[in-house]
Amino acid sequence: MIESGGTRLLLDCGFSVREVDRRLARLGLRGEDIGAILITHEHSDHLSGAARLSRRYRLPVWLTAGTLAACRDTGFYRIEQFHAHDVFAVGDIQLHPFPVPHDAREPAQFVFSDGDVRLGQLTDTGSITPHIERMLAGVDALVLECNYEPELLRRGPYPPALKARVGGDYGHLGNDQAAALLARLDTSRLRWLIGAHVSEKNNTPSHARAALIAGLGDDTERIAVAAQDEGSGWRSL
């Protein structure tokens, strides 16, 4: 959930309506408090509940043309399309999308801004491009994928083809890749950093946090790791 001024955006929706309602209640919110749903790509853990939630609360859904074409359920209350290189706004929030290398039709990640501060979001990318680095340079906060620890993935339960997909250039970011990205970014304005999309089978919160500490070069309270069951709670900028 991203909130600024009078606007609240839900980024992706892979949960049932009941589960979304439960998680919103934990934040003191209801479905009626959401202004729109923003979809990064069509994989089920990011999309499967979006159409039902959209219809239940009459929410517009923003997504790329490629993501829309790949959707199985397009029964959204209202469809709004964006291009992955074009800045747009939803209410009080400016959105700066950017394409990422992931095995989806037209995936995008985002930098969110109110005009003063910038929040970067980067998950579901198998590799880092120069454009990604330019987009995330100097952000005030960052949610960063730490999907797997390479050795745990290698020794883990996934079949070889799935291991190759997760660890490939169009899969997910490993802890080592997240650390390397942080080491290259301008983090002089960074107030907080959250590791996200952490695999329960191929990673641990302690491995992810260690990678973020190594990449950022310090061990402070501004570093956290989001749990799948509980999220991360509110962070303010």
Side-chain angles (χ1 to χ4, degrees):
M1 184 71 71
I2 298 96
E3 175 181 295
S4 181
T7 303
R8 295 187 184 96
L9 301 180
L10 180 65
L11 179 63
D12 288 333
C13 183
F15 298 122
S16 67
V17 172
R18 178 180 295 181
E19 179 64 11
V20 171
D21 285 342
R22 187 186 73 82
R23 290 175 179 245
L24 288 172
R26 194 171 60 214
L27 299 175
L29 299 174
R30 301 178 303 165
E32 293 86 351
D33 297 320
I34 302 172
I37 303 171
L38 184 67
I39 301 298
T40 60
H41 64 293
E42 70 271 14
H43 290 164
S44 61
D45 56 329
H46 297 261
L47 178 69
S48 63
R52 291 186 294 274
L53 190 74
S54 169
R55 294 192 295 267
R56 172 73 63 87
Y57 296 113
R58 300 170 68 86
L59 303 173
V61 175
W62 288 81
L63 69 180
T64 64
T67 298
L68 178 61
C71 289
R72 294 183 178 179
D73 183 356
T74 58
F76 305 114
Y77 167 68
R78 191 172 85 237
I79 295 171
E80 300 284 355
Q81 294 187 44
F82 67 88
H83 189 280
H85 286 285
D86 291 343
V87 177
F88 63 102
V90 179
D92 296 317
I93 300 178
Q94 300 171 11
L95 298 104
H96 302 247
F98 53 93
V100 294
H102 192 52
D103 55 354
R105 185 73 63 87
E106 191 182 359
Q109 295 291 308
F110 299 91
V111 173
F112 303 92
S113 178
D114 65 355
D116 294 319
V117 295
R118 299 167 65 238
L119 162 64
Q121 163 80 24
L122 180 64
T123 64
D124 297 85
T125 182
S127 50
I128 301 298
T129 66
H131 185 55
I132 290 175
E133 292 189 19
R134 287 192 295 270
M135 292 298 298
L136 297 179
V139 294
D140 298 272
L142 178 59
V143 178
L144 178 61
E145 180 169 53
C146 295
N147 183 257
Y148 65 90
E149 177 67 20
E151 183 60 19
L152 294 183
L153 176 64
R154 187 186 70 80
R155 294 189 285 106
Y158 284 3
L162 184 54
K163 289 181 181 181
R165 180 248 167 186
V166 169
D169 288 344
Y170 295 89
H172 292 276
L173 281 189
N175 292 339
D176 53 345
Q177 292 171 294
L181 171 63
L182 287 171
R184 294 194 299 270
L185 285 181
D186 171 10
T187 58
S188 59
R189 293 173 54 93
L190 197 68
R191 301 186 201 176
W192 53 258
L193 169 67
I194 294 179
H197 217 307
V198 178
S199 171
E200 294 181 321
K201 291 183 172 63
N202 303 308
N203 207 355
T204 67
S206 60
H207 279 96
R209 181 177 173 83
L212 298 178
I213 291 170
L216 201 56
D218 67 42
D219 181 4
T220 67
E221 293 184 355
R222 65 176 175 163
I223 299 175
V225 176
Q228 289 195 24
D229 291 338
E230 299 179 1
S232 64
W234 286 113
R235 295 290 192 279
S236 296
L237 283 175

